[in-house]
Amino acid sequence: MRSEAELISGDIDSTSQTQGSASRTYRSQTAIKLLIVESSMNRAERHVNTLRNADLVIHPVIIGSEVSLREAQNDPAPDMILCAADKKPIRFNSILNLCLEYFPQSPVIVLYDDQDPEVLLKAMQRGARDVVSAEDPKHLVLVVKREYSDLRARRELQQAVERLRQAEDRYTAIIEHSNDAIAYIHDGMHVMANPAYLKKFGYVDMDELEGQPILDLVAPQDLLRLKGFLRSRDSGNSELELTCQNNQGNNFQANLEFSMVTLDGEHCTQLVIRATPPSIQRTQRLSMFGTRSLDTGLANKLHLLQRLDARIREKDDVGLNCTLLYVLIQDFHQIRAAIGIPSSDQLLKELASILKDNIEEGCFLAQFGNDAFVIQNEGSLQDSTRIADRLMDSINNHLFAIDGDFSEPQCSIGLAHLDEAVTSGLEFINRAFIAAESGRTQNESKYTVFEGAPAKPESRPEVKTTGINSIIQHALDNDEFKLLYQPVVSLQGDNRENYAVLLRMLDKDRQQVLPSDFIDAAIQSSQMLDIDRWVVKRAIMEMADQRKQGRKVSFFISVSHCALESGDFVVWVCDCLRQYKARGAWLTLQIRDRDIHKYTQKSKRFIEDLKKIKCQISIDQYGSVSKNDTLIRNLPVDYIKYAPALISNLSARMEKQQRLSEFNQQAQKNNVKTIAMGVEDASNLALLWTTGVDYIQGYFLQGPSERTSYDFTLL
């Protein structure tokens, strides 16, 4: 019986081919898989033709008996079921029950002739969506359209709910793996906390903490402050610095950040705790992932520069009583070559421990590159020389527990005192570095004091430019550049392996030099185009190699305005893609917002040419120039990357949140994906997700790495 029905349904499918091309296009997009339970094939065919004549595309399967219906229970569920009401109530009830049991998500429409109204009413009470007279085709069309529309709405709702669940799971995973301590408070009680929060307060699992008042985790002297703060705070974001207390009764300083969120349908408070700047408790971990060295756990170069820049801005108010100690490991690259990376990393950790144990209260310690540490001492130069003497004695008397045949590492220390001529943190560090380098070149294990300010750049421009340009040319000639990779991760469920490609230059000691220290000089000396070509070619080589290994990586690569002006850069990119058997679709070239505004016509031609070879385009540092929306309206770009300054401190700045929301609405309107750079912690994550930002990049996920090894399934 069933094979006969399928044969007939195939015949029906081959009829009604007279509709226009527009109707066929509509039908192909909205086909209805219809199961018809009808013993009369002629009546079933009449129903199908009725629906097709109403511009509905129907893929019917006709079943003529209860036996055939039972055989169909394992078939894919239809979109809708038309069930003819048999004159025998018992047989009709049996077939209806089978339809409702086998296909509970498919709406059932009962077709009747002259059945008892009581039978039809009971059919609807049992689950049928509607009853329609078999002799009323117009009513049948209206009901089918309505039920199919409802079905699609229900499916879309189910998909939305599933996407929300997946997003919540991703958000929960991010919180669980965050280095920040995060908890959720409802009516003053803990309802949820991540492992970092539990560890900070000394709890083994959430069962110990759940239901405990937040007041129990605050030292007695700060209870009144916290109570008053909680009573007076509004629904926005706010911060409070307190003395907290773990479950062993030990106190520690912490900065508490409060924000209102919804958890499981309930309004509650999200609490994020970050460690205060290092003090005598030097083993306390830094709260911000982006400001911490992965080798030693100390503050990194970025954190140090930010701190020193702020200190220098305040020197008129705070004074000049500040000294830097630059601790340099002599010939570290030779040591690393002799003992290997694991052992040299252990050496760095031991040296960091020595420094932490021998600096004074109030000193700030940071790792500055692979072979150097910097100590900021808010004291006189005389005080700092005593610290330097103590450090030298401790280092020289320490027996490093490192395997390998090499002499004990020697260190030189450079000291520099703050004065009116210092205008930036980098300049301040450079003075201490010059002093330490002086001790290194003399191969002396002692400290040296900086004795004179370097010449102003204006007085000897040719010396500085010539020096850095010779280093750049040497790097170009000898492949002394290095590519690093930072993941660009989706907040919307896209697990593609996207990486931003970052550039570093190696100096004569094979230490990494940031682009900010050599890009301007390269542009002035017409070397930037060669650097752009080096980066793009090496990135394509790496990308092609990763693809051969089965990895589906895609790279975001920044190019300068020199590439826009060259005229043949896109042709060169095409040749590289062909040479390494790579595809343009794997590549996204990033152009700075300011460069596009300055070189508008050249940028337009550049982008159009890239599109011809299927490359994607991203506007970098988006938001740094006014009237940005004109770019995404008039240029075929695929992504925009928000300037890090827009993301920084986002949770505490309403004007930034409003601006970000406007930018994101403009991007969505123009089908442009958005990327937030500089995401350093979890506090901004919920805002970025609710705003609709598509991707994030920053130290919160992972710092720049030599490998493309990030686990994209984590989010």
Side-chain angles (χ1 to χ4, degrees):
M1 176 67 74
R2 185 145 182 257
S3 60
E4 178 187 358
E6 291 174 341
L7 177 61
I8 295 175
S9 71
D11 293 339
I12 294 175
D13 253 343
S14 65
T15 62
S16 300
Q17 301 295 324
T18 59
Q19 304 299 323
S21 60
S23 297
R24 286 197 300 272
T25 301
Y26 171 77
R27 291 176 176 184
S28 65
Q29 296 172 350
T30 59
I32 302 174
K33 293 182 289 184
L34 187 66
L35 174 62
I36 304 176
V37 184
E38 169 63 74
S39 59
S40 171
M41 297 303 169
N42 290 332
R43 287 163 65 96
E45 182 178 353
R46 181 162 54 107
H47 298 323
V48 171
N49 289 334
T50 294
L51 297 175
R52 283 179 167 163
N53 289 336
D55 283 340
L56 295 173
V57 61
I58 303 297
H59 291 173
V61 173
I62 302 172
I63 290 178
S65 67
E66 182 176 340
V67 174
S68 298
L69 181 58
R70 291 182 183 276
E71 293 174 356
Q73 64 175 307
N74 295 321
D75 291 350
D79 293 325
M80 196 176 307
I81 301 173
L82 297 185
C83 181
D86 197 281
K87 292 184 178 181
K88 297 179 180 179
I90 295 178
R91 185 172 181 274
F92 167 61
N93 290 337
S94 177
I95 290 177
L96 179 61
N97 288 337
L98 291 177
C99 290
L100 296 172
E101 177 185 349
Y102 294 161
F103 310 112
Q105 302 300 322
S106 303
V108 178
I109 301 171
V110 175
L111 301 177
Y112 68 90
D113 290 316
D114 54 357
Q115 274 76 10
D116 183 352
E118 185 68 22
V119 174
L120 300 179
L121 178 60
K122 289 182 178 180
M124 293 191 67
Q125 290 173 340
R126 293 210 307 274
R129 298 282 294 182
D130 209 342
V131 294
V132 178
S133 171
E135 304 303 324
D136 192 350
K138 292 183 179 180
H139 187 199
L140 176 61
V141 169
L142 291 175
V143 171
V144 168
K145 286 184 176 180
R146 181 197 68 203
E147 291 302 322
Y148 187 60
S149 177
D150 289 351
L151 177 67
R152 293 178 63 184
R154 290 196 300 274
R155 287 174 175 172
E156 290 172 0
L157 176 60
Q158 290 172 352
Q159 293 170 358
V161 170
E162 177 62 18
R163 286 196 298 270
L164 176 60
R165 186 195 63 77
Q166 292 175 358
E168 290 175 342
D169 290 344
R170 289 194 299 273
Y171 184 77
T172 300
I174 291 172
I175 297 301
E176 286 293 313
H177 291 82
S178 174
N179 290 316
D180 293 331
I182 303 171
Y184 295 89
I185 313 297
H186 181 63
D187 290 339
M189 305 290 184
H190 288 84
V191 295
M192 180 180 171
N194 71 345
Y197 189 93
L198 296 173
K199 182 178 180 181
K200 181 175 285 292
F201 286 98
Y203 291 92
V204 176
D205 54 38
M206 189 59 206
D207 291 339
E208 291 186 70
L209 183 63
E210 188 171 9
Q212 186 168 344
I214 184 178
L215 297 177
D216 289 356
L217 305 185
V218 176
Q221 64 267 28
D222 278 345
L223 283 176
L224 292 179
R225 285 184 60 218
L226 178 59
K227 290 178 181 178
F229 173 80
L230 293 175
R231 283 195 296 265
S232 61
R233 67 182 292 267
D234 55 22
S235 60
N237 300 330
S238 49
E239 297 183 15
L240 179 66
E241 188 168 342
L242 290 174
T243 301
C244 294
Q245 189 175 75
N246 63 21
N247 64 353
Q248 284 82 38
N250 298 323
N251 292 347
F252 61 91
Q253 291 295 121
N255 191 60
L256 282 65
E257 299 180 8
F258 297 86
S259 57
M260 298 302 297
V261 298
T262 300
L263 183 67
D264 295 333
E266 296 284 346
H267 292 293
C268 63
T269 300
Q270 177 180 269
L271 172 61
V272 181
I273 300 181
R274 314 183 194 287
T276 54
S279 59
I280 56 174
Q281 299 295 330
R282 299 308 299 175
T283 56
Q284 180 181 356
R285 297 183 62 172
L286 298 175
S287 62
M288 299 280 288
F289 184 87
T291 59
R292 183 181 61 204
S293 166
L294 296 180
D295 293 329
T296 60
L298 299 177
N300 64 7
K301 179 178 179 180
L302 173 64
H303 192 182
L304 176 65
L305 288 173
Q306 291 174 342
R307 181 185 175 93
L308 291 180
D309 286 339
R311 175 63 177 84
I312 291 168
R313 287 194 298 268
E314 298 170 353
K315 64 184 178 183
D316 291 338
D317 299 324
V318 181
L320 300 174
N321 205 25
C322 179
T323 306
L324 289 187
L325 293 84
Y326 193 100
V327 182
L328 177 67
I329 305 173
Q330 296 180 10
D331 300 321
F332 180 74
H333 62 286
Q334 295 180 9
I335 294 174
R336 172 158 281 184
I339 66 175
I341 293 177
S343 295
S344 59
D345 285 347
Q346 180 61 33
L347 186 151
L348 290 174
K349 292 177 182 177
E350 288 196 35
L351 182 56
S353 179
I354 294 172
L355 298 179
K356 285 190 289 186
D357 292 341
N358 287 277
I359 59 178
E360 297 178 356
E361 181 178 359
C363 288
F364 181 83
L365 174 62
Q367 184 176 356
F368 195 82
N370 283 337
D371 62 349
F373 298 84
V374 174
I375 301 167
Q376 177 191 354
N377 177 37
E378 291 295 322
S380 66
L381 182 60
Q382 186 177 2
D383 292 336
S384 298
T385 58
R386 286 197 294 269
I387 296 174
D389 277 329
R390 186 165 63 249
L391 291 175
M392 277 299 181
D393 288 341
S394 298
I395 294 171
N396 292 334
N397 293 327
H398 181 78
L399 181 62
F400 287 86
I402 307 297
D403 296 330
D405 184 16
F406 72 101
S407 60
E408 290 294 314
Q410 300 294 311
C411 293
S412 58
I413 300 180
L415 283 74
H417 194 65
L418 182 63
D419 60 32
E420 292 290 352
V422 176
T423 59
S424 70
L426 189 60
E427 181 183 352
F428 196 9
I429 295 172
N430 190 52
R431 290 186 172 199
F433 165 74
I434 291 172
E437 185 69 10
S438 175
R440 187 191 71 81
T441 55
Q442 298 173 32
N443 199 28
E444 296 181 356
S445 184
K446 66 177 186 178
Y447 71 82
T448 307
V449 179
F450 180 78
E451 296 181 347
K456 298 279 185 185
E458 303 86 78
S459 61
R460 296 179 61 192
E462 69 284 353
V463 174
K464 180 176 180 180
T465 302
T466 303
I468 190 65
N469 290 138
S470 63
I471 296 174
I472 294 172
Q473 193 58 50
H474 180 269
L476 287 169
D477 295 339
N478 297 278
D479 277 343
E480 295 293 317
F481 287 106
K482 175 184 287 189
L483 296 185
L484 301 179
Y485 308 94
Q486 191 169 34
V488 180
V489 181
S490 173
L491 290 178
Q492 309 298 331
D494 177 6
N495 289 330
R496 283 178 291 186
E497 300 180 47
N498 296 316
Y499 288 91
V501 177
L502 308 177
L503 177 66
R504 300 291 186 266
M505 183 173 70
L506 302 179
D507 63 14
K508 62 180 181 180
D509 296 322
R510 300 196 64 77
Q511 299 303 306
Q512 295 183 12
V513 182
L514 293 174
S516 57
D517 295 332
F518 63 84
I519 290 297
D520 289 343
I523 292 175
Q524 294 173 10
S525 61
S526 302
Q527 294 171 303
M528 193 61 224
L529 181 59
D530 292 333
I531 294 176
D532 283 336
R533 291 180 185 272
W534 191 96
V535 172
V536 172
K537 185 174 183 178
R538 294 310 186 281
I540 291 176
M541 289 171 58
E542 176 65 21
M543 183 173 60
D545 184 60
Q546 293 285 340
R547 289 275 179 165
K548 289 177 183 177
Q549 299 174 29
R551 299 276 306 282
K552 295 185 178 180
V553 298
S554 298
F555 285 167
F556 286 76
I557 307 173
S558 296
V559 295
S560 70
H561 66 82
C562 301
L564 306 180
E565 297 182 277
S566 69
D568 62 349
F569 192 83
V570 177
V571 175
W572 180 84
V573 171
C574 188
D575 291 340
C576 287
L577 292 172
R578 187 181 301 110
Q579 179 182 354
Y580 297 105
K581 298 180 181 179
R583 296 181 182 178
W586 304 344
L587 196 65
T588 301
L589 291 187
Q590 301 178 156
I591 311 169
R592 287 176 64 91
D593 192 342
R594 293 184 182 277
D595 289 342
I596 295 180
H597 277 89
K598 186 174 181 180
Y599 305 93
T600 305
Q601 293 304 317
K602 292 179 179 179
S603 297
K604 186 176 181 180
R605 289 193 296 271
F606 185 78
I607 291 172
E608 289 173 348
D609 290 343
L610 285 173
K611 283 295 181 180
K612 293 176 183 177
I613 59 174
K614 308 301 182 184
C615 289
Q616 299 190 84
I617 308 297
S618 174
I619 301 178
D620 200 10
Q621 304 289 326
Y622 189 84
S624 59
V625 178
S626 60
K627 297 184 179 179
N628 295 82
D629 59 317
T630 59
L631 295 182
I632 58 177
R633 283 205 315 265
N634 296 292
L635 294 175
V637 300
D638 303 281
Y639 301 91
I640 57 174
K641 272 192 173 183
Y642 296 125
L646 179 62
I647 306 303
S648 175
N649 204 24
L650 180 66
S651 60
R653 299 285 297 276
M654 290 301 298
E655 70 277 8
K656 285 189 176 183
Q657 296 175 28
Q658 179 63 31
R659 192 176 180 204
L660 179 66
S661 178
E662 292 174 358
F663 283 159
N664 224 64
Q665 290 173 10
Q666 294 167 2
Q668 290 174 348
K669 184 178 179 181
N670 290 276
N671 296 319
V672 176
K673 299 292 186 182
T674 55
I675 304 171
M677 292 194 299
V679 179
E680 309 298 342
D681 53 67
S683 61
N684 293 333
L685 204 60
L687 280 172
L688 295 172
W689 183 69
T690 55
T691 303
V693 171
D694 296 293
Y695 299 88
I696 59 173
Q697 174 190 339
Y699 278 85
F700 174 70
L701 298 169
Q702 180 179 290
S705 171
E706 296 182 15
R707 300 178 180 176
T708 55
S709 57
Y710 183 78
D711 183 5
F712 285 84
T713 62
L714 177 62
L715 299 188

